[in-house]
Amino acid sequence: MAVTGLYKHAITHLSGLVTSAAVNLVNNKVSTALVLIGDVFAWAAGTFLSAILTGNNKYHLGRHYGLGFAINSAVLFGSSIFLIYYHAGDDMNALYQRGIPDFSEWAVAFACGVQNGLTSNYSGNLFRTTHATGMWNDTAMLVGHYLRWGETKDLWRIKIFFPLFVSFFIGGLLGTVAWNVMQRWALFIPASYSALFAIAIFVLRQIPERDYEKIDDGSDYSLESVSYAGTPPSYGSTTPTHDHRQ
């Protein structure tokens, strides 16, 4: 919401960015369309980096999630400082409408891609932290499957999706309040909690391996199985869970 208040358009909704780019191209606003296309590619670059850092969607504590959140934090801090001091007094929406590229916007899109990629890898593509479209779509499908076909094996996902929806809504409320109170300083909030996540993960990685070897033992225990199986896997089991559809 802080970014929306600043640029007057969301950069976490790729479908909207692509649609807006097409509209601007038709209306002969090529430079504005290129700014939006830049957002899309910046997002993809962030997701690409998260894949390089963490590998596939099997969670292992030893992978570089902490480094990913540290990069995310640094980019957001840098963007906020750039906006505060370099663009002090500038109307960012006016610059966008004129098609003047702003590297802070692309940097924020990059950070969103990093964050979304990290959580997607962690959860086996079950969680999305920057947009709720996929989760809402999945929730409606699960309810439809239950009402029409009586399928219940995946209904447990709603217990995950609903708190995420509520968190997303509360985040929107808090983001709006932060923008109203802090203006361009509001980006320091997501930058700070990304830094806290990075520190927490770095600390966890210092735990002796024997203390978490049941989680990070090189087997296929992961939330990847959660995203496909009907019920969450038992992490106390000694038999790895495989997805035979891969």
Side-chain angles (χ1 to χ4, degrees):
M1 287 306 301
V3 173
T4 303
L6 180 65
Y7 298 109
K8 308 306 179 185
H9 65 276
I11 62 175
T12 59
H13 302 67
L14 296 187
S15 55
L17 289 174
V18 173
T19 301
S20 295
V23 170
N24 279 283
L25 281 175
V26 171
N27 291 330
N28 202 31
K29 296 182 178 180
V30 177
S31 56
T32 301
L34 291 177
V35 171
L36 296 170
I37 293 173
D39 289 339
V40 173
F41 279 96
W43 175 292
T47 306
F48 174 82
L49 176 62
S50 70
I52 295 296
L53 292 174
T54 60
N56 59 24
N57 59 1
K58 295 180 177 67
Y59 172 70
H60 293 291
L61 187 58
R63 291 180 179 164
H64 299 294
Y65 293 93
L67 179 58
F69 278 110
I71 293 173
N72 189 69
S73 176
V75 170
L76 289 175
F77 273 124
S79 298
S80 186
I81 293 171
F82 184 79
L83 287 167
I84 292 168
Y85 293 103
Y86 182 78
H87 281 303
D90 289 343
D91 185 339
M92 303 308 297
N93 184 51
L95 294 179
Y96 156 72
Q97 294 293 342
R98 290 161 55 191
I100 299 176
D102 174 58
F103 295 106
S104 64
E105 178 176 344
W106 292 340
V108 172
F110 174 85
C112 289
V114 172
Q115 175 182 304
N116 203 63
L118 289 172
T119 54
S120 296
N121 280 333
Y122 172 85
S123 65
N125 293 320
L126 184 62
F127 299 162
R128 293 291 189 273
T129 59
T130 55
H131 54 282
T133 305
M135 291 185 294
W136 188 244
N137 177 78
D138 290 350
T139 298
M141 289 183 62
L142 290 170
V143 173
H145 288 166
Y146 171 71
L147 294 177
R148 176 63 178 86
W149 307 104
E151 295 183 8
T152 60
K153 67 176 184 177
D154 288 332
L155 286 179
W156 62 268
R157 294 191 190 185
I158 297 178
K159 297 179 181 179
I160 296 176
F161 291 154
F162 182 73
L164 289 175
F165 287 136
V166 174
S167 299
F168 203 90
F169 179 75
I170 294 174
L173 295 177
L174 296 178
T176 303
V177 172
W179 169 254
N180 290 339
V181 174
M182 302 173 63
Q183 295 292 300
R184 301 184 185 202
W185 293 89
L187 282 178
F188 272 63
I189 296 176
S192 297
Y193 68 64
S194 291
L196 291 176
F197 287 153
I199 293 170
I201 293 171
F202 284 135
V203 170
L204 287 174
R205 289 191 63 184
Q206 306 309 311
I207 299 174
E209 184 175 355
R210 63 180 179 275
D211 292 338
Y212 60 81
E213 60 185 359
K214 290 183 179 180
I215 298 176
D216 192 18
D217 61 358
S219 68
D220 284 340
Y221 297 125
S222 69
L223 285 178
E224 177 189 42
S225 56
V226 174
S227 66
Y228 294 111
T231 56
S234 173
Y235 289 93
S237 171
T238 57
T239 304
T241 301
H242 296 279
D243 182 3
H244 297 290
R245 284 175 288 183
Q246 291 185 346

